[in-house]
């Protein structure tokens, strides 16, 4: 393993860990009395502001960065694809509002098999036997990770679970669309156009106009900075730097560090109850993901 690959591994791990701590910040913001619209709105607003500021800086410091890409596909396609990013934020943060953060992130991780089903249904990508077994193993591990075998789930919001699974579906769609749209644009520029779509969706659906009142903004801006930096700015930059150095398969494996980070943050910071059996379920999901991606890596192209 050379130094460049080590740098890539560190970048991908940090990017995934950034995603993993978001639910804790969101829970903290809700505890302060802020609404779903205000939380998603401030993240989209600051995220868009930061990304376009970075593009401006890059034009001044390293204009050649943009000339390396042909950039022939329409920019509005990227903006439209960004609607999926906004949908993930809205649905996931709503799930976090209704459920323990440790459960919400586990539901979001179901995008692993939901994405494969979408590929099968719409793109006729056949599931291999290994993938089918992997989906079954992920579902079984999820049962453990959610604590379903230990607790009475009558107190758990069914609506929250629904939002969590919808968030997973939106995340799966985002990954599929992101892999097919705007790849001829610089990653930083692509992220900036996508956040425009997310910003428009959040502000049209939730209309968080209270953000611009002094009483709300003066208290919420700290959470907005954290959510924008760790959820909108750092992950795409770190992934775009790290994944070319690690390779896609290893990058996929490393990116799932988001799950244990989110669960551990919920346990340590939010003081949510997470049992040993639930931690075993989380570990089971990670093991399945590793095995599936190792198989992809060994498959000749």
């Amino acid at each position: 393993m050379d130094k460049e690959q080590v740098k890539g591994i560190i970048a991908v791990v940090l990017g995934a860990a950034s995603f993993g701590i978001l639910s804790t910040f969101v829970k903290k913001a809700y505890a302060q009395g802020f609404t779903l619209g205000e939380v998603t709105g401030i993240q989209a607003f600051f995220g868009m502001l930061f990304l376009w500021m970075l593009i401006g800086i890059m034009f001044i410091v390293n204009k050649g960065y943009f000339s390396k890409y042909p950039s022939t596909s329409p920019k509005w396609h990227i903006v439209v694809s960004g609607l999926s990013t906004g949908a993930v934020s809205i649905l996931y943060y709503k799930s976090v509002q209704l459920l323990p953060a440790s459960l919400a992130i586990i539901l979001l991780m179901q995008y692993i098999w939901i994405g494969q089903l979408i590929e099968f249904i719409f793109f006729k990508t056949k599931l291999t036997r290994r993938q089918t077994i992997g989906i079954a193993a992920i579902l079984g591990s999820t049962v453990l990770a959610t604590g379903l075998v230990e607790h009475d789930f009558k107190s758990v919001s069914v609506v929250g679970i629904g939002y969590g699974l919808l968030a997973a579906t939106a995340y799966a769609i985002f990954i599929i669309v992101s892999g097919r749209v705007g790849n001829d644009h610089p990653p930083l520029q692509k992220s900036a156009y996508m956040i425009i779509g997310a910003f428009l969706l959040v502000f049209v659906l939730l209309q968080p106009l209270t953000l611009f009142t002094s009483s709300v903004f003066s208290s919420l801006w700290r959470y907005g900075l954290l959510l924008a930096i760790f959820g909108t700015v750092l992950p795409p930059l770190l992934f775009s730097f790290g994944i070319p150095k690690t390779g896609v398969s290893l990058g996929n494996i490393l990116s799932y560090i988001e799950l244990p980070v989110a669960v551990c943050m919920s346990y340590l910071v939010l003081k949510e109850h997470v049992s040993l059996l639930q931690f075993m379920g989380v570990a089971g999901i990670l093991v399945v993901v590793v095995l599936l991606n190792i198989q992809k890596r060994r498959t000749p192209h």
Side-chain angles (χ1 to χ4, degrees), residues 36-292:
L36 171 66
E38 289 167 345
V39 172
T40 54
I42 196 74
Q43 178 178 344
F45 176 72
F46 276 141
M48 185 171 65
L49 183 65
F50 288 158
L51 285 173
W52 283 102
M53 284 176 60
L54 285 173
I55 285 180
I57 293 171
M58 285 296 290
F59 263 115
I60 297 171
V61 176
N62 184 15
K63 194 173 182 179
Y65 167 76
F66 298 94
S67 62
K68 296 177 183 178
Y69 296 82
S71 303
T72 56
S73 63
K75 295 179 178 63
W76 69 267
H77 285 184
I78 307 174
V79 174
V80 172
S81 70
L83 296 176
S84 61
T85 309
V88 173
S89 294
I90 293 171
L91 294 167
Y92 177 49
Y93 290 175
K94 184 63 178 179
S95 176
V96 170
Q97 188 178 44
L98 299 172
L99 298 171
S102 56
L103 176 55
I105 185 63
I106 290 166
L107 292 173
L108 182 66
M109 287 295 108
Q110 303 311 299
Y111 81 85
I112 302 167
W113 60 268
I114 291 175
Q116 290 182 332
L117 288 182
I118 291 174
E119 291 271 8
F120 173 71
I121 294 170
F122 292 99
F123 301 102
K124 309 303 179 184
T125 303
K126 293 183 179 180
L127 295 173
T128 65
R129 181 181 178 185
R130 177 178 285 266
Q131 287 173 324
T132 304
I133 294 172
I135 289 174
I138 288 172
L139 290 173
S141 297
T142 299
V143 171
L144 294 178
T146 56
L148 185 62
V149 298
E150 298 177 287
H151 306 294
D152 182 3
F153 261 47
K154 291 180 181 179
S155 60
V156 175
S157 171
V158 176
V159 175
I161 292 175
Y163 275 113
L165 293 175
L166 286 174
T169 303
Y171 196 22
I173 293 171
F174 158 70
I175 291 173
I176 292 170
V177 170
S178 181
R180 288 172 166 80
V181 177
N183 292 328
D184 56 336
H185 292 262
L188 178 60
Q189 191 177 53
K190 178 180 175 180
S191 297
Y193 281 115
M194 291 187 76
I195 196 61
I196 291 176
F199 175 85
L200 292 174
L201 182 68
V202 170
F203 273 75
V204 169
L205 287 184
L206 303 180
Q207 301 179 2
L209 301 181
T210 53
L211 281 179
F212 303 106
T213 62
S214 58
S215 59
V216 172
F217 191 85
S218 61
S219 302
L220 186 58
W221 70 269
R222 298 174 183 83
Y223 291 106
L225 286 177
L226 291 170
L227 291 171
I229 291 171
F230 290 103
T232 306
V233 178
L234 282 180
L237 293 179
L238 290 168
F239 285 158
S240 63
F241 172 81
I243 289 179
K245 299 180 185 300
T246 64
V248 175
S249 294
L250 180 56
N252 282 339
I253 295 171
L254 295 171
S255 67
Y256 288 103
I257 196 70
E258 173 187 353
L259 176 57
V261 167
V263 173
C264 289
M265 287 288 288
S266 301
Y267 178 73
L268 296 172
V269 178
L270 299 176
K271 306 303 180 183
E272 293 180 358
H273 173 72
V274 183
S275 69
L276 177 60
L277 203 58
Q278 287 176 278
F279 276 117
M280 290 173 62
V282 170
I285 294 174
L286 295 175
V287 168
V288 174
V289 168
V290 170
L291 292 176
L292 287 175

